[in-house]
């Protein structure tokens, strides 16, 4: 008998738990996933608010803004201090990447879906799973506390480049806030490493009888590959964070250059370290982190597209191989972030070629999604619309990435708004549309109720329109040479022609923020007043839809047995247009 058959085959009786053990310090993967979901949504509001403050400063740098100006001290002239602006964009990016996208895609949906979709009763290590959430809480508290550190908080950018971040000088943002930033990211990394060990072990050992690797939904494949990426890349970032922390607390010089290097009106003391070492260590993790953020969305979007196209997913195995190829290539392209660093051109050429090659497996995925949609009986639910938006935004972001892969082009557009546009199309817009699609798809399974389709489509339409209005013009001003991270671009003659577009993008960003109120209201109201969903409201095939909604502790009444793949829609063998993985057909 296999491990999968042994695990829970007899059906476990779970004793009644107290409220604290059931909903706070829970070992149930579903509750832990929902905890990650609510935490991620709270930080989504915080990160979005920071983004609006950044955009307001860029659009009206010399104006007294109603309400906002009253919050700024008189010593600033009741306008935003440039050092405070540095903190805003640093914390916006940090929160959106490490406290929103990674916890929502990997933490929330990874935890909730993996055991349900492979037919397991729970994660392999439930207590470790509980710890993976609660170890985030020191990170939550420290990243919030860093806002109130002396000097307004960490302001070295989300990349935290030395020597700006490492050297302890009298400039703002250089000490307490940066230390809290480093400690918070260590907590996030520790949480992700705990989760990756659990995900890998669960997927390998606890699959239901008949659930072979190539019968797993692509959502599970994507989580599996993402967990491997995390397990291999996160230790490198963690080491880098520890080394920078030692530079700031114990006086080590891992990232400090030799004495006499000028930093504004400051200079380094004794040194001997190498600032570029940080870039190598940071980007060795942070480029795979792009795929840690996007691969789970790719997998879930694949499931959504097939379900609502009512067609088998086109090219299932090539999709698996494409996911694997993207992850593998992601480890050998970190140097394309460093084309400006004085890298040997021969080495840079290797990174350039490897970066361009990522377009190949990415194109396989895109054409397979389009192949699934071809001649399909598409149902335009809110989840499907968000999935289609994901595909569209990923194509635009991917095409701009090919431009930047070429070293001569990157030298020109590096650190301009063209980079900001690419980053937000691939990470913000693609990932967020993937998250929204997943929420609308699996909300019925999480809470037993349906979200409003009408308000979901209104939210989708406004988000799609205004997000493009915010980020597409960034390509234009980037080609004009508009640098990122300038608190007042109107001070430069060559940038004044872009100011009208900056105002347009800021107004669009404010409308985009308001559109999210619709999503939050739909989410919260549907928790209590949504239409009851039943087990399988979407008539889907994967195992989670055979469990009650919401699933009890232990997930399934009996251990499911799998007889087929997850995408057998419109099968000629049955009169319905779907064929669940657990359905055994009698021989003809």
């Amino acid at each position: 008998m296999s491990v999968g058959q042994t695990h829970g085959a007899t059906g476990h009786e779970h004793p009644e738990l107290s409220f604290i053990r059931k909903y706070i310090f829970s070992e149930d993967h579903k509750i832990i996933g929902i905890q990650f979901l609510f935490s991620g949504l709270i930080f989504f509001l915080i990160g979005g608010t920071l983004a609006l403050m950044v955009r307001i400063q860029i659009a009206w740098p010399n104006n007294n803004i109603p309400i906002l100006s009253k919050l700024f001290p008189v010593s600033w002239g009741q306008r935003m201090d440039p050092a405070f602006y540095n903190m805003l964009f640093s914390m916006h990016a940090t929160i959106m990447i490490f406290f929103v996208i990674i916890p929502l895609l990997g933490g929330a949906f990874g935890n909730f879906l993996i055991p349900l979709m492979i037919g397991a009763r729970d994660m392999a290590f439930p207590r470790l799973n509980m710890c993976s959430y609660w170890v985030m809480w020191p990170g939550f508290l420290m990243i919030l506390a860093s806002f109130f550190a002396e000097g307004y908080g960490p302001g070295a950018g989300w990349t935290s480049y030395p020597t700006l971040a490492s050297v302890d000088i009298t400039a703002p943002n250089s000490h307490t806030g940066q230390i809290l930033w480093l400690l918070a990211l260590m907590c996030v990394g520790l949480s992700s490493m705990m989760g990756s060990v659990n995900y890998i072990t669960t997927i390998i050992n606890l699959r239901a009888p008949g659930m072979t690797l190539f019968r797993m939904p692509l959502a599970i494949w994507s989580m599996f590959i993402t967990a491997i990426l995390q397990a291999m890349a996160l230790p490198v970032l963690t080491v880098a964070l520890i080394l920078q922390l030692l530079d700031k607390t114990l006086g080590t010089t891992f990232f400090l250059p030799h004495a006499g290097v000028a930093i504004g009106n400051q200079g380094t003391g004794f040194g001997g370290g190498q600032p570029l070492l940080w870039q190598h260590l940071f980007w060795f993790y942070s480029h795979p982190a792009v795929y840690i953020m996007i691969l789970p969305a790719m997998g879930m979007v694949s499931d959504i597209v097939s379900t609502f196209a009512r067609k088998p997913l086109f090219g299932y195995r090539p999709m698996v191989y494409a996911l694997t190829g993207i992850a593998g290539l992601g480890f050998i392209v970190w140097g394309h972030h460093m084309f400006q660093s004085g890298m040997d051109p021969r080495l840079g050429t290797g990174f350039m070629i490897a970066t361009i090659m990522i377009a190949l497996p990415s194109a396989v995925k895109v054409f397979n999604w389009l192949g699934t949609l071809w001649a399909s009986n598409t149902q335009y639910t809110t989840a499907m619309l968000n999935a289609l938006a994901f595909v569209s935004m990923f194509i635009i972001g991917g095409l701009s990435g090919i431009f930047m892969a070429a070293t001569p082009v990157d030298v020109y557009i590096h650190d301009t708004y063209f980079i900001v546009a690419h980053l937000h199309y691939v990470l913000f817009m693609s990932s967020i549309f993937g998250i929204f699609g997943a929420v609308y798809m699996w909300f019925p399974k999480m809470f037993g109720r349906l979200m409003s389709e009408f308000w979901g489509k209104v939210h989708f339409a406004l988000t799609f329109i205004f997000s493009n209005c915010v980020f597409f013009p960034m390509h234009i001003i980037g080609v004009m040479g508009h640098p990122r991270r300038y608190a007042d671009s109107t001070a430069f003659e060559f940038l004044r022609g872009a100011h009208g577009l900056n105002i347009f993008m800021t107004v669009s960003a404010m409308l985009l923020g308001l559109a999210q109120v619709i999503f939050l209201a739909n989410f919260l109201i549907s928790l209590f007043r949504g239409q009851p969903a039943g087990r399988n409201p979407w008539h889907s095939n994967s195992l989670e839809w055979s469990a009650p909604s919401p699933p009890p502790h232990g997930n399934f009444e009996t251990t499911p047995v799998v007889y087929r793949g997850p995408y057998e829609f419109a099968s000629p063998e049955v009169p319905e247009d779907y064929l669940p993985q657990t359905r055994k057909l009698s021989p003809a």
Side-chain angles (χ1 to χ4, degrees):
M1 184 177 287
S2 70
V3 175
Q5 289 173 304
T6 302
H7 181 75
T10 58
H12 296 306
E13 291 295 330
H14 295 281
E16 189 65 30
L17 300 173
S18 67
F19 179 86
I20 297 293
R21 289 289 291 116
K22 187 173 182 179
Y23 294 109
I24 309 299
F25 297 104
S26 176
E27 296 177 12
D28 186 341
H29 72 98
K30 300 179 294 298
I31 300 299
I32 295 169
I34 292 170
Q35 288 173 328
F36 272 110
L37 178 65
F38 279 99
S39 300
L41 290 176
I42 291 169
F43 275 91
F44 180 51
L45 293 177
I46 296 171
T49 302
L50 297 178
L52 289 178
M53 294 179 71
V54 168
R55 287 305 319 171
I56 288 170
Q57 168 63 18
I58 293 169
W60 301 289
N62 300 310
N63 295 41
N64 287 327
I65 309 299
I67 302 175
L68 192 59
S69 293
K70 294 181 180 179
L71 301 177
F72 298 144
V74 176
S75 60
W76 295 3
Q78 293 198 310
R79 293 175 186 153
M80 190 179 294
D81 185 81
F84 184 77
Y85 173 81
N86 289 347
M87 182 276 291
L88 284 181
F89 71 69
S90 301
M91 294 294 282
H92 160 67
T94 300
I95 285 173
M96 292 302 289
I97 291 171
F98 295 105
F99 294 90
V100 177
I101 296 177
I102 290 177
L104 282 177
L105 285 174
F109 290 103
N111 263 299
F112 189 85
L113 293 179
I114 286 174
L116 282 168
M117 295 183 97
I118 65 171
R121 299 261 175 202
D122 208 316
M123 287 289 184
F125 308 115
R127 289 187 180 177
L128 183 67
N129 202 25
M130 176 185 71
C131 290
S132 74
Y133 174 71
W134 283 104
V135 81
M136 286 284 287
W137 268 88
F140 292 154
L141 297 175
M142 284 187 284
I143 203 68
L144 293 175
S146 69
F147 280 103
F148 306 100
E150 183 181 0
Y152 324 128
W158 78 276
T159 56
S160 192
Y161 278 1
T163 55
L164 179 63
S166 290
V167 69
D168 189 12
I169 56 178
T170 56
N173 318 315
S174 65
H175 196 66
T176 306
Q178 188 66 25
I179 290 173
L180 290 170
W181 185 91
L182 292 165
L183 291 170
L185 262 62
M186 286 183 200
C187 293
V188 176
L190 183 58
S191 170
S192 295
M193 281 190 275
M194 289 178 175
S196 67
V197 169
N198 225 342
Y199 292 1
I200 293 168
T201 307
T202 302
I203 292 170
I204 290 176
N205 288 330
L206 300 187
R207 300 191 306 277
M211 178 62 80
T212 62
L213 288 176
F214 283 101
R215 284 180 176 172
M216 295 195 308
L218 279 181
I220 302 302
W221 268 110
S222 65
M223 298 289 182
F224 183 44
I225 294 168
T226 298
I228 294 171
L229 280 174
Q230 288 176 320
M232 296 177 67
L234 267 167
V236 178
L237 177 66
T238 304
V239 166
L241 295 170
I242 292 170
L243 295 181
Q244 189 176 119
L245 184 65
L246 294 175
D247 276 6
K248 296 194 66 60
T249 55
L250 298 184
T252 58
T253 58
F254 292 105
F255 303 126
L256 291 183
H258 292 284
V261 175
I263 308 169
N265 60 354
Q266 303 291 327
T268 58
F270 68 95
Q274 177 54 267
L276 283 179
L277 174 61
W278 168 267
Q279 291 193 38
H280 282 290
L281 295 175
F282 180 85
W283 287 116
F284 186 81
Y285 163 77
S286 293
H287 195 81
V290 172
Y291 304 110
I292 289 170
M293 288 181 270
I294 200 72
L295 285 178
M298 287 180 172
M300 291 186 289
V301 162
S302 299
D303 286 7
I304 295 169
V305 167
S306 181
T307 297
F308 295 110
R310 313 310 295 172
K311 266 185 68 179
L313 190 71
F314 184 86
Y316 170 83
R317 286 185 179 243
M319 291 283 265
V320 173
Y321 302 144
L323 283 170
T324 308
I326 289 171
L329 288 168
F331 268 110
I332 60 172
V333 299
W334 79 91
H336 70 216
H337 295 275
M338 301 172 60
F339 285 152
Q340 300 270 29
S341 66
M343 179 186 298
D344 187 312
R346 293 166 295 184
L347 184 60
T349 301
F351 283 121
M352 179 178 72
I353 294 170
T355 304
I356 293 172
M357 285 177 63
I358 290 186
L360 299 176
S362 299
V364 169
K365 297 192 68 59
V366 169
F367 286 119
N368 283 15
W369 285 321
L370 295 178
T372 305
L373 293 169
W374 181 263
S376 66
N377 183 26
T378 304
Q379 299 175 355
Y380 292 102
T381 61
T382 307
M384 183 62 157
L385 290 171
N386 280 283
L388 296 177
F390 169 92
V391 176
S392 304
M393 299 303 99
F394 180 71
I395 291 170
I396 296 173
L399 289 174
S400 64
I402 294 175
F403 285 102
M404 294 181 297
T407 309
V409 178
D410 185 74
V411 167
Y412 175 73
I413 62 177
H414 186 79
D415 257 352
T416 69
Y417 263 90
F418 197 94
I419 306 294
V420 181
H422 165 76
L423 177 73
H424 282 81
Y425 264 91
V426 171
L427 285 192
F428 171 73
M429 294 172 72
S430 293
S431 295
I432 293 299
F433 278 121
I435 289 168
F436 286 148
V439 168
Y440 284 105
M441 177 75 169
W442 284 287
F443 186 94
K445 188 54 57 178
M446 287 181 170
F447 304 108
R449 296 181 181 272
L450 293 167
M451 293 181 70
S452 167
E453 281 290 306
F454 172 78
W455 288 110
K457 289 174 181 175
V458 171
H459 165 252
F460 161 77
L462 295 176
T463 302
F464 186 81
I465 292 168
F466 292 130
S467 58
N468 278 285
C469 289
V470 174
F471 299 115
F472 194 83
M474 291 182 181
H475 293 102
I476 299 170
I477 65 173
V479 172
M480 292 170 61
H482 196 311
R484 64 200 297 195
R485 300 171 180 161
Y486 275 31
D488 182 4
S489 60
T490 62
F492 303 91
E493 182 67 35
F494 80 102
L495 295 178
R496 289 175 187 165
H499 194 59
L501 278 175
N502 271 323
I503 294 174
F504 173 77
M505 288 186 282
T506 298
V507 173
S508 299
M510 296 167 75
L511 295 172
L512 175 63
L514 288 174
Q516 306 320 304
V517 175
I518 298 173
F519 170 77
L520 291 173
N522 190 1
F523 186 96
L524 294 174
I525 292 171
S526 298
L527 281 176
F528 305 102
R529 298 176 58 185
Q531 179 184 343
R535 290 195 180 217
N536 192 0
W538 311 128
H539 295 157
S540 192
N541 293 336
S542 45
L543 292 185
E544 76 273 24
W545 301 108
S546 64
S549 300
H553 196 170
N555 297 338
F556 303 96
E557 293 97 335
T558 59
T559 301
V561 178
V562 177
Y563 297 100
R564 65 196 72 258
Y567 303 118
E568 294 193 20
F569 294 98
S571 171
E573 299 180 79
V574 291
E576 305 88 357
D577 68 345
Y578 67 106
L579 184 54
Q581 288 188 277
T582 55
R583 183 169 175 182
K584 184 178 182 180
L585 296 177
S586 302

